[in-house]
Amino acid sequence: MFQDKTAIVTGGSSGIGKEVASRFVAAGGSVVIGGRNEEKLASAATEIDATGKRLAFVAGDIADPQAGDALVAKAEDAFGGVDVLFNNAGVFRPKPFLDLTVDEYDWFLDTILKGKFFMAQAAAKAMIKRGGGAIVQTGSLWALQAVGATPSAAYSAANGGVHALVRNLALELASENIRVNAVAPAVVETPVYNTFMDAEQVAETLPSFNAFHPIGRNGRPADIADALMFLASEQASWITGQVLSVDGGVTAGRH
């Protein structure tokens, strides 16, 4: 499906990013994964492609636009260009609005929105050289509706910007044959929860969200990767400017 294509995956060392990187390689493509932790990136790279022939990595903080430039440079140097961007990196940490600090606000906006904005810009410039491509963002259910159990005003606002970016870029880049879409996941069981809870808290808390989803279970990285791969593929060649809810039915309503 992606034979001789090259993708960049941000947040590629674990969770959704690692899953989609693995699937892209399995589908015949080459991948450059990005993330902040070089050791985790190296481990993921070995796990996905032990030969090292079709997977490379670059460590950096996506909040810094230079990190996006470095990922594109690596993709062009190692594999000849960029065809797909899985703009996936993000952060999550619930905190009440009245307690949120300026530094915390900046952390959400810089990582989620600024990071995706300039990563997409760098990738789009590279895609134009190849005659087009696909950008798929990871947005969030929290940008579509508030969840009282997880107060996340800044996180939600940042992802609302990501969703708006999808529509604007879809229009601006259509003439360059670049499609832009996003997925909006609900609760997906990834290591992001371990960034603000210990292992025992995660094991206790996550199962309590199963019933939040009408389908009756939390999402898995594979559920989101399936949607990301579809939106990046030629099967979605007439789809652009869309935010696809991949949420176990949450946005459909409540029982």
Side-chain angles (χ1 to χ4, degrees):
M1 183 188 298
F2 292 102
Q3 198 72 36
D4 300 323
K5 299 290 187 181
T6 300
I8 291 172
V9 181
T10 64
S13 65
S14 66
I16 295 166
K18 181 180 175 183
E19 182 71 23
V20 79
S22 179
R23 286 170 183 247
F24 199 89
V25 170
S30 300
V31 179
V32 179
I33 57 174
R36 285 174 289 189
N37 188 308
E38 188 162 3
E39 187 176 336
K40 287 183 179 179
L41 287 168
S43 176
T46 300
E47 186 177 335
I48 294 168
D49 177 24
T51 70
K53 293 179 179 178
R54 291 200 286 126
L55 197 140
F57 63 88
V58 179
D61 186 347
I62 202 64
D64 180 355
Q66 290 184 348
D69 293 337
L71 285 164
V72 168
K74 173 64 80 171
E76 292 184 323
D77 181 58
F79 306 121
V82 180
D83 302 291
V84 176
L85 168 63
F86 295 106
N87 218 358
N88 171 71
V91 290
F92 181 66
R93 185 176 297 159
K95 189 172 185 180
F97 167 66
L98 295 177
D99 298 332
L100 204 74
T101 68
V102 171
D103 285 345
E104 288 167 331
Y105 172 91
D106 287 343
W107 181 62
F108 284 114
L109 272 288
D110 286 351
T111 305
I112 294 170
L113 184 53
K114 181 181 175 183
K116 285 185 171 68
F117 186 101
F118 287 105
M119 181 69 254
Q121 185 184 74
K125 289 176 180 178
M127 288 175 186
I128 289 170
K129 300 175 189 176
R130 303 269 268 196
I135 296 171
V136 192
Q137 321 258 48
T138 301
S140 179
L141 163 76
W142 277 256
L144 301 174
Q145 64 180 57
V147 180
T150 55
S152 307
Y155 169 84
S156 300
N159 276 295
V162 170
H163 292 185
L165 193 60
V166 165
R167 292 182 284 272
N168 282 267
L169 297 190
L171 282 181
E172 286 200 46
L173 299 176
S175 62
E176 302 290 353
N177 195 32
I178 297 173
R179 297 183 300 103
V180 187
N181 294 288
V183 297
V187 178
V188 181
E189 295 186 355
T190 76
V192 72
Y193 298 98
N194 296 91
T195 63
F196 59 90
M197 293 188 287
D198 61 34
E200 186 176 335
Q201 289 173 314
V202 170
E204 181 181 341
T205 303
L206 279 182
S208 70
F209 278 94
N210 282 322
F212 173 68
H213 310 87
I215 281 180
R217 67 167 175 86
N218 295 334
R220 295 183 284 262
D223 296 316
I224 311 306
D226 282 338
L228 292 170
M229 290 286 284
F230 166 69
L231 289 171
S233 75
E234 284 302 307
Q235 293 173 307
S237 63
W238 212 48
I239 301 174
T240 194
Q242 302 304 305
V243 177
L244 175 64
S245 293
V246 188
D247 62 9
V250 173
T251 50
R254 296 285 186 275
H255 288 298

